[in-house]
Amino acid sequence: MPFLLVLAARNLTRNVKRTLITAAAVVAGVAIMILGWGLVDGLDENFLRAARTTYAGEVLLRPEGYPDDGVRFPLDDSRQVSDQLKAALDAEGAWTTRAAFPVRVVHGENADRAVTWAYEHDRETTVFSRAGWKLDGRWPEPGKNELVAGWAFGRLLGVKPGDEVIVEGRTRDGAHNALLFTVVGLARSDNAGLDNSGIWMEMSTAESLALLDGNRTHVALVPRDGGARAEALATALSREGWAAMSLAAECEDMIAINEIRRRALGMVVVMIMAIAATGIANTVIMAAFERVREIGTLIALGMPRAQVRALFLLEGAIMGLLAGVVGAVAGGALVSYWQANGFSVGEEVMSASGNMAVSQYVYTQFGWGSVFLSLCFGVGVALLASLWPAHNASQIIPADAVRAD
Amino acid sequence: MKLLLLALALAIPGIARAITVDDMLDHVDKNLTYDSRESSVRMTVVKSGTTKSYLMHSFGRGAEEMAMEYLEPARDKGTKMLKKNDELWMWLPSVEKTQKISGHMLRQGMMGSDMSYEDLMEQSTWRDAYTGTVVGEETLDGRKVWKVDLKAKDTTVSYPRRLIWVDQASYIPLKQELYALSGMLLKTWTMSDIRTVGDRQFAYKMVVEDKVQKNSRTEITFESVAFAVPLEEEVFSTRWLER
Amino acid sequence: MELILSMAVRNLGRNRRRTLLTALTVAIGVALLTIAMSFVGGVFWAALEKVSAMAGEVRVVTPRYAQRDQLMPLSENIPETAALEAAIRASDGVTAVYPHIAIGVTGAVGDDEIGERFGLLHGAPTEFYTERLDLDAHLQEGTMPSFGGEDWASVGARPKFPVYALVGRQFAEEVGAKAGTEVILTGQRQDGSPSGMRVLVAGVVDLGNSAQNRQLWVSLDAARWMTEIPAGATELMVFGEDWESAPELAASLRDEAALSGLDVRAWSERPPYDGLVGFAQVLHAIAGGVIVFITALGVLNTMFMSVLERTAEIGVMRAMGLRAWQSVVLFVVEAMAIATVGGAVGVLVGAPVSLYLGHQGIDFGAAVDKLPPTIPINTIVRPVLDWNVALMGVVLGYAMALVGGFLPAWRASQIQPVEAMRSRR
């Protein structure tokens, strides 16, 4: 067996050019396959990330009965976070609370309805780093009546940083309240819904506007060990009137949309591999025919036909493996790079998404699974492509072979 | 005893403050609330330069029931609304059918005006909801008024503070300033053209002005109003809508 | 030259297997390229074309309307459109202008509550529906109503004649209507007061996804009456020679005096579509590029191989007097012949498959329904055969054959004949 391996290896190196050209097809095919899957997985992650970094964290708690339609934000349903719950959250990782409530924002003659998102100044960035957000202006200073508007809402109302607006709303008990605010920034998050109708203010300001009295509508948690135990945590943290959901459960609907892309991509990838396969098959077949003489000699010298077949299969396998590895490395490297840095699909694609949370940056998702699968695919294709020529080669009659070509 | 005090108050300005604010508010409330009422009212809505005017005829029973028909403009003529407890029904002449309006459409303002149903329907009396302090006397539109600072008794009252100018003669709040919790002025509500209707005083003209959004106000002029009207039960039913 | 040609032909016949194999690679490559690109084209390009038809290649609205686009504010309408329509129609490059009104309505059948089911009502000239939206082609049941001809001017409180509507499937299902049902629509007039209208469902339309199917279409007059915009519209949709050059049309219309003060933009210049074109183009290019690359590699590979192994043969021919360049030409001609056959077969296979898939459609399933209505991707995607792509594939086959045949042949021809003969490669 080792003899065959050596022979196979030597054969491959004998015609480097041929080997390389064939291998190129496999490399490309495997790399593209990995990239493709990486992209599709990345798209799922895209939605998840947008939700995770703008309002949900890994585990999202809302008061029991609180509507999750994204349209109503009743302050009546807000609750306090008990000390026991706080301790439970502290034990798991970084967490923060938000209070959401509807308001009317008035700028001179214009008025539009918005949803206020009040955040805790010191906790907010431990959970929502805002790393991918773009801010024109700055974030509010605690203690001042300042707000940041979603960029699309700002455009609707016709305000820019520096403008003054009046925010009118109701306190938790139902009394009218209104405060004069300065718009200090326009923010573009990864969440089109927030950008279209949201304004951000510090919790202390919201407390004076809505008399929250410590009541909140959202609690977001990012556990120290990431999202692995999100489901279990969600169950454990649903208590004292709060209902918790893992990020995945929250984003179920959005992820379903990715099904389209998966299928589309699947089809494209299959086609690409088919093309690569023909290239490989072609080469192996050609190689077999061109070495007819050599094979004839081998058989005449006593090599069992089975071994001849094995030899060709082995050549195909080695080439497939090596090429596959190169392709996997290339594809994997690209996917990893784009996972860390993302490539931008353009800002306006986001606004096409209406109220969905879609990120501007597409991050691919590296998965050993897809690397392994792609590799196997590469080897498999090479092997399959070699089957017929290998068989054929083994049937050569030495006398004919020597006479041929 | 109170009547005597009242009489004295009317005669001698200095003793005005002898009336308890609660009593004053009682009177004000009495003028503003009713068991049954029939009225014809013209409503004009002004918003950023555009003006729309409507003429409505309505019946009301307490806070729970109200039946209203639009008479003008021609396009709206025949449109009817019926509020019964928490349900709202509508009849449009362009459709000729009674339609129940589902819960979530109720939040919108009436005909695009500044007044939501809630504003109109708010019926808890001022006396129950507010603690008042008389802060002075003034003359408004040639009438003598008490200026009273009303502070809400609890946090659930819609307008945490109202500054009202109560006409000493009629106990009608000629002017109100409605304040937010923060002290920001939200709306002003003026009443004028005061007449006697039955055993009460009633303002035939009201103007509600949004003080937060510029150039936004609603004017209401009563063309006729009657209280303690015997109302057929049928008025507050869908059959009335169809007539 | 005839000698070379005949030699080429004979050579091709001599090693049939090799020839066939090479041709097969080219064929498969071209076929797959055709199918794959039809696929990409079908999804994105068709969607974009539909977008421009739906949203108007160029749209004219008031600036305030444009600013509050997403709210579709009725009050920010263009009060009188007749003169504007005439001015636009007289402009260069304009083939059609349609006034259009869109309002959100709630619908109910019988005694059902209103405010539960919502849809988007459109009012526009019939030609817009038949020529741009192709509603008549998407009729699922019922018939295309003959809009127009009614005397709206003398309608008082309520029209005495039936007001026909085409209704999207999703809306019809939700309110419980089918062809022949009367639906009560409640919307608003431009001043915000409630406005109702009874419509008779003439037909139910299926546009491919449930968001698109929550729309209704009535005559322009009906919509004008309902919203109380008697001579105007919320938008003017302008169409030109072709949808891809909409930006140029928009630019030239902006210079029209009659349109000064109005917001004039091509569909690709307005959110949310402005990013889509670039996105689709990039996707198109990537998908195409990848497929082309792999195909090219396969063909090139094959050609290299087949020439390389015949180096000895080249040596023999040269020894027999064939000039260096002639031997190269020989191989190149062979390669082109293979490419021709391969390309033809590829198209013959790829085209019908694309057409078939286009006819059958590939079902993407319910997930598509969750996309916002501004992106009209159907539940069933139909690849669109682009003959240009097929042609490109064939040309590519030739190009690769050329390169694949030329290089090694030339190199082989440079070697001394004796060496070549001896190389056995």
Side-chain angles (χ1 to χ4, degrees):
Chain A
M1 192 55 182
F3 165 67
L4 269 178
L5 259 168
V6 169
L7 202 58
R10 212 180 44 107
N11 283 341
L12 285 174
T13 53
R14 257 194 320 162
N15 191 333
V16 177
K17 210 175 281 175
R18 164 165 44 100
T19 310
L20 277 176
I21 293 173
T22 314
V26 179
V27 168
V30 170
I32 286 164
M33 228 172 117
I34 293 178
L35 264 173
W37 292 132
L39 190 69
V40 170
D41 287 340
L43 285 171
D44 263 351
E45 178 56 26
N46 218 25
F47 286 124
L48 292 175
R49 193 188 58 261
R52 183 194 302 119
T53 57
T54 55
Y55 76 97
E58 289 288 352
V59 180
L60 175 66
L61 287 81
R62 283 179 290 220
E64 263 169 35
Y66 193 85
D68 63 356
D69 53 11
V71 170
R72 293 169 291 161
F73 295 92
L75 208 48
D76 305 344
D77 289 345
S78 61
R79 315 182 63 78
Q80 300 204 336
V81 183
S82 71
D83 288 332
Q84 294 96 315
L85 187 51
K86 285 187 186 164
L89 288 164
D90 278 330
E92 294 299 337
W95 59 276
T96 188
T97 66
R98 298 254 193 87
F101 52 93
V103 291
R104 188 173 84 130
V105 184
V106 183
H107 179 60
E109 270 190 13
N110 297 331
D112 276 305
R113 303 214 163 264
V115 176
T116 300
W117 288 90
Y119 61 89
E120 286 186 52
H121 175 73
D122 45 350
R123 284 186 174 278
E124 173 83 358
T125 42
T126 62
V127 175
F128 300 111
S129 71
R130 299 184 188 142
W133 301 29
K134 285 216 261 295
L135 183 67
D136 174 18
R138 60 176 173 80
W139 287 98
E141 247 175 82
K144 291 209 177 151
N145 284 357
E146 296 178 342
L147 65 83
V148 162
W151 73 275
F153 180 74
R155 187 173 71 173
L156 185 69
L157 194 59
V159 292
K160 43 187 206 314
D163 286 344
E164 283 196 333
V165 295
I166 295 175
V167 179
E168 255 189 64
R170 310 284 281 240
T171 66
R172 205 167 165 268
D173 287 329
H176 280 106
N177 201 2
L179 290 172
L180 184 67
F181 277 80
T182 312
V183 178
V184 293
L186 291 177
R188 183 171 223 141
S189 70
D190 272 347
N191 190 325
L194 293 178
D195 292 344
N196 283 339
S197 61
I199 62 174
W200 304 90
M201 68 175 68
E202 264 250 284
M203 194 61 79
S204 55
T205 320
E207 282 280 0
S208 41
L209 177 63
L211 288 194
L212 299 171
D213 193 23
N215 287 283
R216 307 283 186 254
T217 55
H218 294 75
V219 181
L221 167 73
V222 173
R224 256 171 242 113
D225 56 0
R229 290 177 306 122
E231 288 295 341
L233 280 174
T235 319
L237 292 169
S238 293
R239 48 190 262 192
E240 294 167 47
W242 289 90
M245 257 181 133
S246 67
L247 179 63
E250 173 72 11
C251 293
E252 244 172 6
D253 280 349
M254 294 303 133
I255 295 186
I257 296 185
N258 243 359
E259 267 315 291
I260 315 173
R261 302 183 209 219
R262 278 183 191 281
R263 290 191 211 193
L265 204 72
M267 288 191 215
V268 173
V269 166
V270 164
M271 280 187 237
I272 290 175
M273 286 317 270
I275 300 176
T278 25
I280 296 167
N282 197 14
T283 318
V284 177
I285 292 169
M286 297 293 255
F289 284 122
E290 139 202 338
R291 289 153 62 190
V292 157
R293 253 175 151 245
E294 177 190 321
I295 298 163
T297 316
L298 282 171
I299 296 175
L301 285 176
M303 180 182 260
R305 289 181 190 280
Q307 280 207 325
V308 172
R309 184 165 47 233
L311 176 65
F312 274 88
L313 281 174
L314 213 55
E315 280 182 33
I318 295 177
M319 180 173 61
L321 190 66
L322 285 173
V325 167
V326 172
V329 168
L334 270 173
V335 167
S336 297
Y337 174 74
W338 273 329
Q339 172 162 10
N341 298 314
F343 67 90
S344 171
V345 291
E347 305 181 325
E348 288 75 12
V349 172
M350 279 215 319
S351 43
S353 318
N355 281 326
M356 298 194 304
V358 170
S359 175
Q360 174 186 345
Y361 288 94
V362 173
Y363 290 79
T364 45
Q365 185 78 339
F366 187 85
W368 285 111
S370 58
V371 170
F372 182 67
L373 267 166
S374 307
L375 200 58
C376 286
F377 202 95
V379 174
V381 161
L383 269 176
L384 265 168
S386 313
L387 262 179
W388 185 72
H391 175 77
N392 235 320
S394 65
Q395 303 304 314
I396 290 175
I397 300 166
D400 290 336
V402 172
R403 248 201 312 256
D405 202 42
Chain B
M1 190 57 182
K2 286 184 197 156
L3 270 165
L4 190 56
L5 274 169
L6 244 174
L8 279 171
L10 286 169
I12 304 161
I15 306 184
R17 234 159 278 146
I19 292 204
T20 65
V21 179
D22 274 352
D23 288 342
M24 187 198 311
L25 290 180
D26 258 344
H27 279 285
V28 173
D29 282 333
K30 232 188 356 224
N31 278 329
L32 293 179
T33 61
Y34 53 85
D35 282 331
S36 67
R37 179 177 94 176
E38 178 178 353
S39 62
S40 240
V41 67
R42 180 171 294 279
M43 179 169 81
T44 306
V45 183
V46 179
K47 221 174 206 142
S48 8
T50 52
T51 307
K52 269 284 170 186
S53 194
Y54 305 92
L55 182 64
M56 295 121 69
H57 181 232
S58 74
F59 299 92
R61 175 149 55 208
E64 295 85 39
E65 291 166 309
M66 184 193 66
M68 173 158 65
E69 177 176 357
Y70 285 83
L71 301 174
E72 277 177 33
R75 190 70 165 92
D76 289 308
K77 186 178 165 73
T79 300
K80 292 180 182 156
M81 303 274 206
L82 173 67
K83 171 178 136 66
K84 218 167 158 145
N85 299 308
D86 288 329
E87 294 185 334
L88 191 64
W89 303 78
M90 180 167 73
W91 165 275
L92 293 174
S94 53
V95 160
E96 282 176 0
K97 188 156 174 50
T98 306
Q99 296 178 282
K100 182 160 177 240
I101 300 181
S102 86
H104 103 189
M105 260 180 82
L106 286 177
R107 308 249 176 79
Q108 324 219 341
M110 272 181 4
M111 296 300 210
S113 77
D114 285 310
M115 263 186 308
S116 64
Y117 285 104
E118 194 187 44
D119 280 347
L120 266 187
M121 296 304 128
E122 200 177 41
Q123 288 283 320
S124 74
T125 62
W126 284 356
R127 192 226 154 114
D128 292 332
Y130 293 97
T131 311
T133 322
V134 179
V135 298
E137 282 183 45
E138 292 175 17
T139 309
L140 200 59
D141 292 340
R143 303 171 85 101
K144 276 205 160 127
V145 293
W146 287 294
K147 184 170 170 184
V148 187
D149 193 342
L150 295 178
K151 293 219 168 57
K153 281 183 181 166
D154 67 58
T155 54
T156 64
V157 178
S158 265
Y159 291 98
R161 177 173 173 237
R162 291 187 199 235
L163 206 50
I164 63 177
W165 285 257
V166 182
D167 180 26
Q168 297 183 15
S170 63
Y171 289 92
I172 299 273
L174 296 183
K175 177 171 162 185
Q176 297 174 54
E177 284 178 352
L178 280 58
Y179 289 89
L181 195 63
S182 64
M184 191 184 293
L185 179 61
L186 293 176
K187 291 187 193 181
T188 56
W189 194 319
T190 57
M191 300 196 194
S192 54
D193 192 5
I194 298 165
R195 310 181 205 173
T196 309
V197 184
D199 62 350
R200 68 175 76 210
Q201 298 287 300
F202 195 77
Y204 270 56
K205 178 154 186 214
M206 300 187 203
V207 178
V208 180
E209 192 172 334
D210 186 336
K211 284 305 204 179
V212 174
Q213 186 179 8
K214 296 198 179 33
N215 295 329
S216 183
R217 75 174 189 283
T218 305
E219 283 180 21
I220 296 172
T221 315
F222 283 85
E223 299 203 341
S224 74
V225 66
F227 294 96
V229 180
L231 294 168
E232 299 158 32
E233 189 52 49
E234 196 195 55
V235 167
F236 302 106
S237 75
T238 56
R239 267 205 311 277
W240 177 81
L241 290 170
E242 285 155 18
R243 260 200 293 137
Chain C
M1 198 54 188
E2 300 89 44
L3 177 64
I4 297 181
L5 271 169
S6 57
M7 275 177 76
V9 172
R10 214 178 39 109
N11 282 345
L12 284 176
R14 251 193 331 144
N15 193 333
R16 283 210 200 88
R17 226 182 241 139
R18 184 199 304 135
T19 309
L20 247 78
L21 213 55
T22 314
L24 196 65
T25 309
V26 176
I28 293 182
V30 172
L32 282 171
L33 188 69
T34 309
I35 298 172
M37 294 306 274
S38 303
F39 184 80
V40 175
V43 176
F44 282 98
W45 228 244
L48 289 181
E49 189 175 354
K50 211 181 283 194
V51 160
S52 72
M54 228 173 55
E57 285 169 22
V58 175
R59 191 185 71 163
V60 178
V61 292
T62 62
R64 283 274 297 181
Y65 189 91
Q67 198 192 3
R68 306 172 78 85
D69 205 333
Q70 63 210 80
L71 298 175
M72 293 193 288
L74 275 180
S75 53
E76 312 293 350
N77 57 69
I78 302 172
E80 305 245 338
T81 54
L84 282 171
E85 283 176 66
I88 295 173
R89 222 172 267 128
S91 258
D92 277 333
V94 173
T95 54
V97 185
Y98 308 105
H100 173 244
I101 295 178
I103 64 171
V105 292
T106 164
V109 166
D111 288 324
D112 292 344
E113 271 186 19
I114 60 170
E116 294 285 307
R117 306 283 175 216
F118 293 89
L120 187 61
L121 177 70
H122 297 270
T126 317
E127 297 77 46
F128 178 64
Y129 298 149
T130 50
E131 279 159 42
R132 303 294 163 180
L133 300 183
D134 274 336
L135 292 182
D136 44 348
H138 287 102
L139 269 175
Q140 203 190 341
E141 61 166 286
T143 56
M144 184 76 187
S146 52
F147 293 126
E150 302 107 354
D151 181 12
W152 283 95
S154 62
V155 168
R158 182 186 160 189
K160 296 288 178 255
F161 45 79
V163 180
Y164 291 107
L166 278 178
V167 170
R169 194 173 101 168
Q170 187 69 24
F171 185 83
E173 273 169 24
E174 285 177 1
V175 301
K178 31 193 228 304
T181 313
E182 187 183 63
V183 179
I184 301 175
L185 300 177
T186 312
Q188 278 189 345
R189 291 194 223 112
Q190 58 163 312
D191 65 359
S193 51
S195 175
M197 185 164 71
R198 290 189 191 240
V199 297
L200 198 54
V201 178
V204 177
V205 162
D206 184 356
L207 289 181
N209 76 42
S210 66
Q212 291 278 304
N213 283 338
R214 266 202 204 90
Q215 300 183 92
L216 306 93
W217 299 267
V218 292
S219 67
L220 181 63
D221 287 327
R224 279 175 162 166
W225 177 82
M226 189 179 187
T227 55
E228 209 175 42
I229 306 176
T234 48
E235 315 172 298
L236 281 170
M237 326 261 269
V238 184
F239 290 84
E241 308 282 336
D242 90 84
W243 62 280
E244 286 171 282
S245 55
E248 286 79 41
L249 184 60
S252 82
L253 279 173
R254 253 173 246 134
D255 291 333
E256 287 280 337
L259 295 178
S260 71
L262 292 172
D263 182 289
V264 180
R265 275 189 284 178
W267 63 276
S268 51
E269 294 167 344
R270 287 157 35 205
Y273 313 114
D274 40 3
L276 282 181
V277 181
F279 186 59
Q281 278 174 336
V282 165
L283 213 67
H284 217 190
I286 292 179
V290 162
I291 294 172
V292 162
F293 177 66
I294 303 270
T295 308
L297 219 55
V299 173
L300 198 67
N301 188 14
T302 315
M303 293 311 305
F304 254 119
M305 294 293 315
S306 84
V307 171
L308 273 173
E309 65 150 21
R310 289 162 65 191
T311 311
E313 199 180 304
I314 300 171
V316 169
M317 286 192 290
R318 296 256 284 122
M320 286 180 14
L322 196 66
R323 308 271 281 283
W325 67 267
Q326 281 177 324
S327 64
V328 171
V329 169
L330 175 66
F331 280 97
V332 166
V333 167
E334 278 183 40
M336 306 274 272
I338 294 178
T340 310
V341 171
V345 170
V347 171
L348 279 169
V349 169
V353 171
S354 297
L355 284 171
Y356 172 74
L357 282 177
H359 179 73
Q360 281 293 93
I362 303 163
D363 189 355
F364 271 120
V368 145
D369 286 345
K370 302 228 173 92
L371 286 173
T374 44
I375 302 180
I377 295 191
N378 292 350
T379 312
I380 298 186
V381 171
R382 299 183 185 285
V384 169
L385 175 60
D386 188 357
W387 287 107
N388 289 332
V389 170
L391 197 68
M392 175 168 81
V394 172
V395 167
L396 195 80
Y398 274 118
M400 287 303 116
L402 209 68
V403 174
F406 181 81
L407 279 173
W410 183 81
R411 239 205 21 155
S413 69
Q414 298 305 306
I415 308 177
Q416 293 303 315
V418 174
E419 288 297 325
M421 282 195 285
R422 247 206 301 254
S423 77
R424 280 264 146 252
R425 279 249 144 257

